[in-house]
Amino acid sequence: MKLETERLILRDFVKEDWGRVLEYQSDPLYLRYNKWTERTPEAAQEFVGWFLDQQIQTPRIKYQLAVVLKSINQLIGNCGVRMEKANDVEANIGYELNPQYWNYGYATEAAHAVVDFGFQHFGVHRIWADLVADNVGSAHVLEKLGMKLEGRLREKTYFKRRWWDALVYAILADEWETHKQTHPVQWKQLEE
């Protein structure tokens, strides 16, 4: 699977990607809103292994794709859309980027393509995302996608010696079609 946007290639992971994943997942800024306190080569290899396993599932219901910045041909994160089971009525999205590439619109660009792909490919009625409430940057990405805040789950998760609230955002298929009229989504699926 390979998608292309103006500045990015979103492609299936390959085994060798674990080194770049370890690089950005070891950054303290990345770890700030994550349960992990550190990352190891073994953990990064296992992380990439999950996505390799998803690629061979039949039917394929999870597309977590490596985000590659075209200008330097380098993996800078990942973004994906997943259903819990085949023929589900909803899917969820998730993304993460190397903090070095935050605030350039790459997460929004990748997520736009992935949400549009999710609605087209899966034919779902709803796509949602959840995040740690303190992660304001990620919330802004979801809002740029036209997603609506559905709720705040108070003290949902405990890690790093404190409780964290979670936010849930979602967009419905008809809302996405309306959003695309004013925020066109530029992407295409590439042949492998």
Side-chain angles (χ1 to χ4, degrees):
M1 164 62 63
K2 192 182 282 188
L3 308 177
E4 181 179 19
T5 67
E6 181 182 347
R7 301 178 295 170
L8 306 171
I9 297 289
L10 287 79
R11 60 158 173 81
D12 277 330
F13 273 89
V14 295
K15 187 176 181 181
E16 296 75 26
D17 287 331
W18 73 266
R20 287 280 180 212
V21 170
L22 177 62
E23 181 183 310
Y24 75 77
Q25 286 187 347
S26 297
D27 188 306
L29 286 174
Y30 168 85
L31 291 167
R32 180 175 43 182
Y33 300 122
N34 209 296
K35 295 178 183 179
W36 304 316
T37 56
E38 65 179 1
R39 299 299 278 156
T40 64
E42 296 77 20
Q45 290 169 3
E46 180 182 15
F47 185 80
V48 170
W50 296 336
F51 306 141
L52 297 175
D53 289 345
Q54 292 170 4
Q55 293 170 24
I56 58 173
Q57 293 176 347
T58 305
R60 185 168 179 186
I61 59 171
K62 297 178 190 287
Y63 290 86
Q64 198 70 29
L65 305 173
V67 176
V68 176
L69 184 57
K70 289 197 291 193
S71 64
I72 58 173
N73 193 32
Q74 183 172 303
L75 186 149
I76 63 168
N78 70 78
C79 183
V81 60
R82 299 90 45 147
M83 291 191 305
E84 290 299 314
K85 61 186 183 302
N87 302 314
D88 213 342
V89 296
E90 67 176 5
N92 68 74
I93 63 162
Y95 47 84
E96 61 183 30
L97 287 185
N98 180 332
Q100 179 180 346
Y101 298 97
W102 289 356
N103 300 311
Y104 293 98
Y106 298 132
T108 303
E109 186 173 326
H112 259 248
V114 164
V115 168
D116 201 45
F117 169 79
F119 277 121
Q120 288 183 32
H121 181 75
F122 290 137
V124 293
H125 176 67
R126 176 177 181 270
I127 294 180
W128 63 274
D130 64 352
L131 65 147
V132 171
D134 293 36
N135 193 344
V136 176
S138 189
H140 286 303
V141 169
L142 298 173
E143 290 163 2
K144 289 180 200 171
L145 298 175
M147 294 182 119
K148 306 283 189 283
L149 177 63
E150 291 190 331
R152 182 181 197 104
L153 306 173
R154 298 177 305 136
E155 297 186 1
K156 172 87 166 76
T157 311
Y158 187 85
F159 62 92
K160 295 186 179 165
R161 296 189 282 180
R162 66 167 275 202
W163 285 100
W164 299 79
D165 289 2
L167 301 178
V168 177
Y169 280 81
I171 190 163
L172 305 177
D174 62 338
E175 293 170 338
W176 180 249
E177 289 304 315
T178 300
H179 177 78
K180 287 189 336 182
Q181 291 175 10
T182 56
H183 301 84
V185 180
Q186 305 288 328
W187 69 274
K188 63 183 174 182
Q189 188 167 346
L190 300 175
E191 296 296 322
E192 300 267 352

